[in-house]
């Protein structure tokens, strides 16, 4: 499902973040050590191969809200942007830290001349952020950042669960 906002295309798809070959960058819901883990980080590192963890090691640890960028190794993309989301109920203020993830990832993408970025739903798995609240923060932050973006023109949300996908579709439909 696609939503056009001026020059920006926002899109929600049901799928796997590690299988988005038409996107220049994908975003990792990383751990502080930037190492393979479960969920998104596991899928991305498995598909990228061991070179990704090797490249990332000198950039770790990162703080909640921070974003760093690496090559994509054996993934079909050019870059991976690694964001550390807040652990719900622990890293505070969690709404601001989650917003920082989306803001920092998009600013980094713009600086690197990246025109298309695919995001997973950061913090909504192992880190326990309630899905609806996290979706509102993601979309609100992106709407705030869009006017500053000079290069990014396509933002895709890749949702693993069918229900999660439907939440994004509902929210995107309502955007003006
Ligand atoms: N593609 C897209 N979305 C996915 C995929 C996938 N392949 N796999 C899971 N999701 P999570 P977090 C969804 O746990 O909450 C890791 O172990 C999932 O259903 O990947 O930020 C790291 O090592 C959920 O909605 O990220 C960290 O320690 C969302 O992606 C920690 O988990 C995020 O789930 C990060 O936790």
């Amino acid at each position: 499902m696609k939503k056009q906002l001026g020059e920006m295309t926002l899109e929600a798809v049901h799928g796997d973040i590690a299988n988005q070959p038409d996107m220049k960058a994908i975003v990792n819901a990383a751990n502080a050590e930037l190492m393979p883990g479960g969920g998104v980080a596991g899928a991305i590192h498995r598909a990228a191969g061991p070179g990704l963890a090797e490249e990332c090691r000198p950039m770790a640890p990162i703080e909640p809200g921070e974003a760093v960028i690496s090559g994509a190794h054996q993934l079909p993309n050019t870059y991976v942007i690694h964001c550390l989301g807040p652990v719900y109920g622990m890293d505070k203020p969690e709404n601001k830290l989650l917003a920082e993830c989306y803001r920092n990832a998009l600013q980094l993408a713009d600086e690197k001349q990246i025109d298309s970025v695919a995001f997973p739903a950061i913090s909504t798995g192992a880190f326990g952020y309630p899905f609806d609240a996290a979706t509102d923060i993601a979309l609100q932050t992106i709407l705030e950042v869009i006017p500053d973006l000079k290069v990014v023109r396509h933002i895709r949300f890749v949702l693993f669960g069918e229900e999660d996908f439907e939440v994004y579709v509902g929210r995107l439909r309502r955007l003006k």
Side-chain angles (χ1 to χ4, degrees):
M1 184 265 178
K2 282 189 184 168
K3 178 89 183 189
Q4 197 66 34
L5 290 181
E7 289 180 79
M8 179 66 73
T9 304
L10 298 181
E11 183 183 20
V13 303
H14 183 205
D16 178 0
I17 191 74
N19 186 22
Q20 304 297 322
D22 57 331
M23 302 304 276
K24 187 117 184 206
I26 60 170
V27 174
N28 183 15
N31 49 66
E33 299 306 323
L34 302 175
M35 286 295 119
V40 166
I44 287 178
H45 280 270
R46 262 194 310 279
L52 180 62
E54 231 166 85
E55 183 187 349
C56 286
R57 192 167 290 117
M59 294 188 274
I62 63 168
E63 300 287 324
E66 200 179 338
V68 295
I69 191 163
S70 72
H73 299 263
Q74 290 164 37
L75 283 157
N77 317 97
T78 308
Y79 296 104
V80 179
I81 298 173
H82 307 263
C83 290
L84 177 60
V87 177
Y88 191 73
M90 207 168 96
D91 296 317
K92 305 240 177 217
E94 47 231 341
N95 56 343
K96 293 221 163 55
L97 292 170
L98 187 59
E100 282 304 298
C101 285
Y102 287 93
R103 181 174 294 115
N104 286 328
L106 287 170
Q107 284 172 351
L108 201 49
D110 219 49
E111 279 166 33
K112 292 282 180 185
Q113 308 295 312
I114 294 167
D115 56 352
S116 54
V117 185
F119 281 94
I122 299 169
S123 281
T124 65
F127 284 178
Y129 214 114
F131 198 86
D132 284 24
T135 305
D136 288 339
I137 292 166
L139 290 175
Q140 192 192 319
T141 306
I142 285 169
L143 291 181
E144 284 167 18
V145 176
I146 283 175
D148 300 331
L149 298 174
K150 296 186 174 58
V151 182
V152 179
R153 290 293 175 260
H154 185 181
I155 298 172
R156 176 179 293 164
F157 303 98
V158 181
L159 293 319
F160 211 46
E162 177 73 38
E163 277 181 31
D164 296 345
F165 168 68
E166 293 301 338
V167 169
Y168 265 84
V169 168
R171 295 292 206 288
L172 287 179
R173 284 216 174 101
R174 265 180 267 139
L175 287 185
K176 299 250 162 46

